[in-house]
Amino acid sequence: MTEPLIQLRGFTAVDQRSGRVLLEDINLTVYPGEQVLLLGASGAGKSSLLDAIRGVIPHSVPLDISGECLVAGTPVLYNTVAELSAVVGNVPQDPHASITLPLVEDEIALTLENHGVEPSQIGPRVNELLESVGAEHLLQQRTQTLSGGWVQRVATVAALAANPRVVLADEPTSMLDGAGVASVMQVLTELVGSSGALILVEHRLDELADGPGLPDRTVVIDQGKIRADGPTQQVLAEHAEQLEASGVWTPGLQLSQFKQRTVAEAEPLLSARGLSVRPAPTAQQILADVEWDIHAGERIAVMGANGTGKTTLLLALAGLIDVEGSVTGKQPVMVFQNPEHQFLTHSVYDELRFGLVPNDTTEASVQELSAAFGLDHLAKLNPFRLSGGEKRRLSVAAGLLAAKHGSAATVLLADEPTFGLDRAATTTMLKVLADYADTGGAVAIITHDQRITEAWATRRLIVAEGALV
Amino acid sequence: MTPLTIQHPSTMVEPGALTRWNPSIKLMSLFVLSVSLLFVWEPVRPAVLWAVLLIVALTVGKVPPKWLVMAHIPFIAFGFGLFLVNVLTRSEDGVWIGAALAGRTLAIGVASILFLTSTAPVELMRSLNQNLKLPASITFAVLAGYQLLLGLPREWQTIRAAQLMRTGGVERSRNGKPKLTFKEAGRLVFTVLIVTLRRSERIATSLESRGFGLKPRTVYRPIRLRVTDVTLGVAVSALSIAYCWPWM
């Protein structure tokens, strides 16, 4: 048998300060040619496991570790993260954070320069990499001007430019539309080929299953321990209940259908007429002549490819950018994509109550939402210290409370409120939003997730080339 | 709300002959000129030099006149301050020395404007790394930081909008202009700092996991050091020294 590429034996990682066990007695062996899907709820230890393999634990994040972690036969401990990068490539979760240089070409060349690739080979290799994700037209583009989906593709090929044998991908398609998912997955699979190995963390399993296909092997991790490891179909079948219970996304899973409802013929809560947006007086319009009414009780999913102007549309409705045309109705509440941008106080407790009139009614609904979103035990923590999923739930809860306790019912606009949430949290989120729509309000969310739109939305809007379809 | 942006002066000026001059040599020549001027204690030579540099800026440097005037504001303010202090503290030669110092400020000021408008930051850092062997860990850190800086105005605006959404709208001053209260500014700065700090941390990790720090590195687009670059550098430096030589 060939030598394993990744081998963890009894690997345990403990955060000494909090005493929290992040990984416990992990035994995992991955051979060349294997592709592994890593499943687990938020905070189960997926990212920690990837960090251990690429050496970030313990080199950059000092944790107490025991047991062994070998990559290509050498202990991770003996190599720096940079040295390991010759073997291990890491596709970043937040692609914006990996861009260092102003030009796309230089950004990808940087990885090759770091690895000492012959200068004459760098140019052709950069072209080849960009072509593989359909981005050859971006060669001379400035990285600052790219939309999320293109940044993700550029960051992906930049991360893997040096042909590492082990590829770790933590939600590599989070910002992509359908076509993007297929092309990035194709690149990942082609890169590892038969001599490399891929470990993939991904929530969008249906799009994977329908398109490029799921990896053959699946590992389930829960509370830092490996609970299952085997052929994907078998693991999914045998552990279906357990996966369901812990709130993990699994392929073929249907979100429970929300009741469709007929919207009463009444005054719309918010109505846009001839709405156009241009970034500068002379620039091309991002949105042109949008006509849109939002009625009480509506649950609207705003969809569309990357960079088509979905966020701009919400900002325009919320009155946060200059527009031509008119928006009439009650001031809506908007929840931004990055929850950190909206935090104003130093504790979860204060954050939920910010700007509300303190009385029994508001207190009751704060308590109710805090419990529904599982924020009760975090009340004293600083919002900036929460995990990604907790931050998102907190920011939506705060937005909802502001919307509920204004002078009259209003529209809640939310930019990707289910981003990065596991299935359990997504279900709760959708239910809470639907409850709000049922009690006289209305909700419009931006999402890339087809499942959510089908199960939850009463209306779907697609933004394409600056217009509603 | 029009989007705020930061632009480097080099992106606003048409590239000319000075743009093609090797950035490291250009920087060194600027340094020699500045040091030489330290030995001049009369106002005539700095004034003449200032005039010559202005002509260079408007012709070879292709700096738009309006732009050149605007860029002068800080140097004029500083130079005037120096002049005033000297006039008030030195009774005998205060005017003479003050004028010399003010002239020096203006001359170095125009030389710096010429440098900034003709040198893209990426080219400068690449050149410092390749030609002057400054460690890549420093030059790329500066570049990554610079990229973050370019993104800051947009980040600032987004966070401001996000926070306004929660605080219930802009407070306006009496003439209707949006007002940023002290408390709001505090929150804004806090969030911008945290978000930027997080991002820089991630950039560092990401650079490392892309093999940054390995040796040997190669260079994709070398910044060449041509004979003309060096000749020009030596000529400018020699001229500067000769011009400022104390007993000339």
Side-chain angles (χ1 to χ4, degrees), chain A residues 65-111:
Chain A
I65 58 166
S66 57
E68 270 186 304
C69 177
L70 304 154
V71 169
T74 350
V76 165
L77 264 180
Y78 299 163
N79 288 303
T80 62
V81 176
E83 283 161 356
L84 275 164
S85 74
V87 191
V88 184
N90 179 62
V91 181
Q93 199 172 13
D94 173 7
H96 287 281
S98 71
I99 302 288
T100 328
L101 295 173
L103 278 184
V104 169
E105 181 182 23
D106 293 345
E107 184 64 33
I108 299 171
L110 175 65
T111 314

Side-chain angles (χ1 to χ4, degrees), chain B residues 22 33 40 68 73 92 172-173 195 205 231:
Chain B
N22 181 289
L33 174 72
V40 179
L68 196 59
I73 295 172
E92 288 165 28
R172 287 178 189 276
S173 61
V195 170
T205 332
T231 319

Side-chain angles (χ1 to χ4, degrees), chain A residues 1-22:
Chain A
M1 190 114 194
T2 46
E3 197 195 7
L5 267 178
I6 302 168
Q7 194 164 31
L8 287 95
R9 279 196 294 252
F11 189 86
T12 300
V14 183
D15 184 353
Q16 220 172 12
R17 280 181 305 177
S18 64
R20 219 180 123 209
V21 183
L22 294 166

Side-chain angles (χ1 to χ4, degrees), chain A residues 46-58 61 76 90 168, chain B residues 205:
Chain A
K46 303 187 295 284
S47 299
S48 300
L49 182 55
L50 297 189
D51 280 349
I53 296 169
R54 68 191 179 112
V56 167
I57 296 175
V61 181
V76 165
N90 179 62
L168 308 177
Chain B
T205 332

Side-chain angles (χ1 to χ4, degrees), chain A residues 85 94 97-98 100 102 105-107 111 113-114 117 119 123 144 279 322 331-332 334 340-342 351 384, chain B residues 1 3 122 144 147 155 159 162-163 165-166 191 198 202-203 206 208-212 217-221:
Chain A
S85 74
D94 173 7
S98 71
T100 328
E105 181 182 23
D106 293 345
E107 184 64 33
T111 314
E113 290 175 328
N114 289 341
V117 174
Q144 292 269 339
D322 290 336
Q331 169 70 40
M334 178 163 172
E340 288 189 350
H341 287 172
Q342 285 186 298
E351 197 65 32
F384 285 97
Chain B
M1 186 172 77
V122 180
Q147 280 297 104
E155 196 91 49
I159 295 174
Q163 297 191 338
M165 194 75 247
R166 295 211 54 210
T191 304
R198 293 253 159 95
R202 283 190 217 126
I203 290 181
S206 137
E208 227 186 342
S209 54
R210 281 163 65 192
F212 190 71
R217 285 191 95 237
T218 49
V219 171
Y220 174 41
R221 288 194 299 179

Side-chain angles (χ1 to χ4, degrees), chain B residues 9-23:
Chain B
S10 64
T11 57
M12 301 162 89
V13 171
E14 222 181 299
L18 284 175
T19 315
R20 289 192 292 275
W21 192 9
N22 181 289

